[in-house]
Amino acid sequence: MNRTVRVGQLYRDLAPDMRERDRRLRVISIGEDDRADCFVEHDLVGTGRKTPRIQVRALASPGKFELLEDVSRIPTDPRFATLMTAITAVHGPEAKPLDYARAAWDSLDLEDTADRATP
């Protein structure tokens, strides 16, 4: 039995070499080539910055990927995926809180809302 893959869903990779790593992938977009752009939200080995492209057919297979979080349980704001992608892009051992804040600020295009004269 296959399921429908949608942007925002969170999956656990059930491949034998990934089970111990507890690798979790969030779908951020689905292309016309039937591949989903995902970002690694959790991985005990530390590949959190990776953004693999996975076949939608594989994600839809319960034997290959376990659906942990469906779209209905995450924020419905369309900027959510953009925000998560920006934060993932700066994530790493050298990342500072300011890097995350700047990525969020830029991804949500908030520049016009800031009062630059305020310290």
Side-chain angles (χ1 to χ4, degrees), residues 29-50:
S29 69
I30 299 174
E32 292 180 18
D33 61 350
D34 287 333
R35 291 189 175 271
D37 291 318
C38 302
F39 67 85
V40 179
E41 208 170 270
H42 181 267
D43 190 343
L44 295 176
V45 177
T47 60
R49 294 186 61 153
K50 303 264 182 191

Side-chain angles (χ1 to χ4, degrees), residues 79-104:
R79 299 174 298 173
F80 177 72
T82 303
L83 176 64
M84 293 305 294
T85 302
I87 289 173
T88 300
V90 299
H91 180 68
E94 302 295 319
K96 296 176 178 56
L98 183 59
D99 298 328
Y100 294 106
R102 187 173 291 121

Side-chain angles (χ1 to χ4, degrees), residues 9-109:
Q9 290 176 322
L10 179 67
Y11 290 92
R12 177 179 294 134
D13 194 337
L14 298 178
D17 59 329
M18 296 295 172
R19 284 182 193 250
E20 290 182 21
R21 293 170 56 169
D22 193 24
R23 188 168 93 147
R24 299 176 193 180
L25 306 153
R26 175 116 21 216
V27 177
I28 56 175
S29 69
I30 299 174
E32 292 180 18
D33 61 350
D34 287 333
R35 291 189 175 271
D37 291 318
C38 302
F39 67 85
V40 179
E41 208 170 270
H42 181 267
D43 190 343
L44 295 176
V45 177
T47 60
R49 294 186 61 153
K50 303 264 182 191
T51 52
R53 293 181 47 85
I54 300 172
Q55 289 184 0
V56 172
R57 182 177 65 233
L59 287 171
S61 173
K64 294 182 179 184
F65 290 90
E66 176 186 3
L67 179 62
L68 297 176
E69 192 174 274
D70 205 349
V71 179
S72 62
R73 293 176 49 198
I74 63 167
T76 57
D77 190 327
R79 299 174 298 173
F80 177 72
T82 303
L83 176 64
M84 293 305 294
T85 302
I87 289 173
T88 300
V90 299
H91 180 68
E94 302 295 319
K96 296 176 178 56
L98 183 59
D99 298 328
Y100 294 106
R102 187 173 291 121
W105 186 271
D106 292 341
S107 73
L108 297 176
D109 198 27

